[in-house]
Amino acid sequence: MSMARRADAVHVRAPGKINVYLGVGPRRDDGYHALATVFQAVSLYEDVHASPSDGFSLEVSGSVDVSGVPLDDRNLALRAAKLLAQHAGVTEGVHLDIRKGVPVAGGMGGGSADAAAALVACDALWGTDLGPRGLHDLAARLGADVPFALHGGTAVGTGRGDELTPALARGRFDWVLVLSEQGLSTPEVYGRLDELRDDALADDATSLLEVPVALLQALRAGDAQELAPVMLNDLEAAAVLDRPDLEHALADGVRMGALTGIVSGSGPTIAFLCAGPEAARTVQAELQATGHEALHVHGPVPGAQLLV
Ligand code: C5P
């Protein structure tokens, strides 16, 4: 353990994400699927306050429905704190106070953001000073999306989605999110995709494992008009099979002026790409007027950051 200064209490903020592109390859022997994905961190956040404690404890509140969040060892933030303590030989504990702004089981990596925030918070609280590489390695052990929540910005993810390469993205992209009351289970959505592919025989699944050059160019140029037609999510068909209402919501947003709409990750949150802030405000208002819960966010934003 290094001699870095310990803190009394810390506040870390970590963002939710959208998969601007999510190409899913075959299921691997470890149960994960090979991915070629592009993440973008967006301005919807998890706030984690960590304070010294003898044991490990957790409280969860937020602007979204948090009733589905486990408070025991299934909680990824708690697992992150314990993993770091074990890894660094820390004998003290931590109390984590999580305030969620990212929908639970929404396909936006909220649980992963909690875990990333908990790693950064405990690293500061305990003075373990792991550095970006050390934190990344622990993050990857916690879940496929956790490294990106540390990293933030816009990045290409390969492997399970945890091998990251930063992608250049100029300017800002405006997104309108449509939230769902009922979440979707990520492993179930991946499983449904496998079933769909078995039925349709998708031997060519690996051909999807490349992010289109046009998509990277559109991000680099900050050009939402160019980005819209090349966005793709292989999990969308599986999510929609479970939730046919998503198809209607996707059509609604585009009719109201979004450039395109995509299911975020394993869903059910939908992300509509809009031409700019003004267009996004209009789409958000119209979606809300027709009974959808809609939020206007922008990306890219930084990954988990120590605020206090
Ligand atoms: O890594 P994480 O715990 O977030 O993944 C949740 C589940 O999603 C995995 O157990 C797996 O079923 C599925 N998954 C997958 N391939 C990936 C990422 C996730 O099959 N690359």
Side-chain angles (χ1 to χ4, degrees):
M1 217 164 112
S2 90
M3 297 305 289
R5 196 160 56 84
R6 288 152 191 260
D8 291 336
V10 296
H11 173 195
V12 175
R13 171 169 282 186
K17 57 82 185 168
I18 291 168
N19 296 82
V20 178
Y21 187 88
L22 181 49
V24 182
R27 192 168 177 274
R28 312 188 314 191
D29 290 344
D30 63 2
Y32 277 88
H33 292 72
L35 301 184
T37 189
V38 178
F39 297 103
Q40 182 158 96
V42 296
S43 57
L44 199 59
Y45 299 99
E46 304 284 271
D47 284 288
V48 174
H49 296 259
S51 47
S53 174
D54 291 336
F56 290 83
S57 55
L58 179 69
E59 65 184 285
V60 180
S61 59
S63 58
V64 294
D65 178 9
V66 299
S67 57
V69 179
L71 298 174
D72 55 19
D73 275 341
R74 286 169 303 162
N75 186 286
L76 207 54
L78 208 51
R79 296 216 317 251
K82 289 183 177 178
L83 180 65
L84 174 51
Q86 185 197 24
H87 174 82
V90 172
T91 51
E92 55 213 271
V94 66
H95 177 73
L96 297 174
D97 174 2
I98 301 180
R99 299 172 198 174
K100 297 185 70 71
V102 180
V104 176
M108 291 193 63
S112 299
D114 294 344
L119 286 177
V120 172
C122 291
D123 188 46
L125 191 71
W126 295 330
T128 41
D129 205 14
L130 252 56
R133 188 73 245 168
L135 290 174
H136 178 102
D137 290 347
L138 292 187
R141 285 163 62 180
L142 289 160
D145 289 346
V146 184
F148 178 72
L150 276 180
H151 187 280
T154 307
V156 175
T158 53
R160 298 180 307 152
D162 55 341
E163 292 164 27
L164 298 176
T165 311
L168 275 179
R170 182 170 301 154
R172 76 176 232 164
F173 292 89
D174 285 86
W175 303 93
V176 174
L177 306 173
V178 167
L179 313 190
S180 282
E181 272 177 27
Q182 210 63 46
L184 279 174
S185 149
T186 302
E188 279 175 28
V189 174
Y190 273 99
R192 199 98 63 240
L193 178 67
D194 290 340
E195 286 165 22
L196 280 174
R197 287 179 164 177
D198 282 348
D199 288 348
L201 182 62
D203 272 344
D204 52 355
T206 44
S207 67
L208 301 170
L209 282 181
E210 209 159 312
V211 175
V213 173
L215 185 128
L216 297 173
Q217 273 168 351
L219 287 168
R220 212 161 33 231
D223 191 332
Q225 306 275 355
E226 294 289 324
L227 181 61
V230 279
M231 284 167 46
L232 173 102
N233 180 359
D234 277 338
L235 290 178
E236 187 161 302
V240 167
L241 203 63
D242 238 16
R243 289 280 308 274
D245 58 304
L246 297 181
E247 202 120 55
H248 300 293
L250 282 163
D252 285 350
V254 171
R255 204 177 50 248
M256 290 165 185
L259 298 174
T260 191
I262 195 168
V263 168
S264 174
S266 56
T269 306
I270 293 172
F272 289 105
L273 179 61
C274 297
E278 200 57 46
R281 277 190 284 274
T282 305
V283 171
Q284 180 202 13
E286 291 200 23
L287 282 165
Q288 257 167 346
T290 52
H292 295 290
E293 188 184 354
L295 297 174
H296 173 198
V297 299
H298 64 91
V301 299
Q305 276 189 317
L306 190 60
L307 297 184
V308 188

